[in-house]
């Protein structure tokens, strides 16, 4: 069950990106353009999955912010890290592995504001925010509270 996206502008952006995935030759596994069956209004998006996605495709390069999954393949851990970091964005990353130490090692090398390892529960004490074009600043936890503080520096101690 998915709710609608936030606005007509976002709906249209996601629809354009889904169409670009098709036009650029990605394999549409499920979903696609348009609204889900039975919904003829509102900003609902069909959950969409693409396979065969290349790093140069728009659906691999853009922050979609909708129910669209782009599957890129890799052969080595190094290639996976390179693909994940080869973006102007860096809001969040996810690492899944049966080897927790390996997952943590990979997570440390990801250039994202948050990295979730093996799909943990949400933690309100963990700061949320991005790197690069995904923005600066943090929400939640101590880092989020600091966004509301005004810091003053008084420098120098010699008599005037």
């Amino acid at each position: 069950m998915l709710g609608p996206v936030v606005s007509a502008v976002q709906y249209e952006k996601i629809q354009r990106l889904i169409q670009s995935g098709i036009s650029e030759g990605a394999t549409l596994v499920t979903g696609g353009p348009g609204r889900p069956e039975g919904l003829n209004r509102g900003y609902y998006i069909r959950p969409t999955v693409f396979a065969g996605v290349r790093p140069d495709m728009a659906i691999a390069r853009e922050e979609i912010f909708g129910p669209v999954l782009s599957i890129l393949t890799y052969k080595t851990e190094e290639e996976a890290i390179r693909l994940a970091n080869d973006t102007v964005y860096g809001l969040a990353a996810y690492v899944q592995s049966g080897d927790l130490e390996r997952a943590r090692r990979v997570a440390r090398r990801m250039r994202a504001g948050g990295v979730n390892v093996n799909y943990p529960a949400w933690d309100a004490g963990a700061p949320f925010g991005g790197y690069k074009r995904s923005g600066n600043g943090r929400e939640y936890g101590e880092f989020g509270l600091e966004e509301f503080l005004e810091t003053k520096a008084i420098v120098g101690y010699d008599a005037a």
Side-chain angles (χ1 to χ4, degrees):
M1 302 291 291
L2 294 173
V5 296
V6 70
S7 67
V9 170
Q10 185 64 18
Y11 176 85
E12 291 302 326
K13 177 185 176 189
I14 296 167
Q15 293 300 314
R16 281 192 304 274
L17 285 164
I18 291 171
Q19 189 56 54
S20 78
I22 294 167
S23 300
E24 291 178 348
T27 302
L28 182 62
V29 176
T30 190
R35 291 180 178 86
E37 190 174 317
L39 296 173
N40 61 3
R41 63 188 176 113
Y43 307 131
Y44 294 91
I45 305 285
R46 295 173 67 193
T48 301
V49 177
F50 285 104
V53 177
R54 296 183 320 271
D56 63 314
M57 292 179 172
I59 57 173
R61 308 244 24 111
E62 295 294 320
E63 285 185 313
I64 298 175
F65 286 113
V68 180
L69 177 67
S70 300
I71 301 172
L72 289 85
T73 60
Y74 60 91
K75 293 187 186 213
T76 67
E77 184 177 297
E78 286 300 315
E79 184 182 7
I81 293 166
R82 182 185 55 75
L83 284 169
N85 290 335
D86 183 25
T87 176
V88 296
Y89 302 109
L91 182 57
Y94 299 82
V95 178
Q96 297 288 131
S97 177
D99 181 340
L100 187 55
E101 286 310 309
R102 182 180 193 190
R104 288 175 176 158
R105 182 178 67 243
V106 169
R108 283 191 295 274
R109 296 183 59 199
M110 306 290 285
R111 294 285 301 146
V115 182
N116 292 288
V117 175
N118 290 345
Y119 202 70
W122 182 68
D123 182 350
F128 173 79
Y131 280 15
K132 304 182 256 184
R133 287 192 188 171
S134 290
N136 288 325
R138 295 292 178 264
E139 298 176 18
Y140 308 123
E142 188 175 321
F143 290 97
L145 291 173
E146 288 175 0
E147 293 293 319
F148 294 96
L149 301 178
E150 292 181 330
T151 303
K152 179 189 291 188
I154 300 175
V155 182
Y157 59 89
D158 288 331

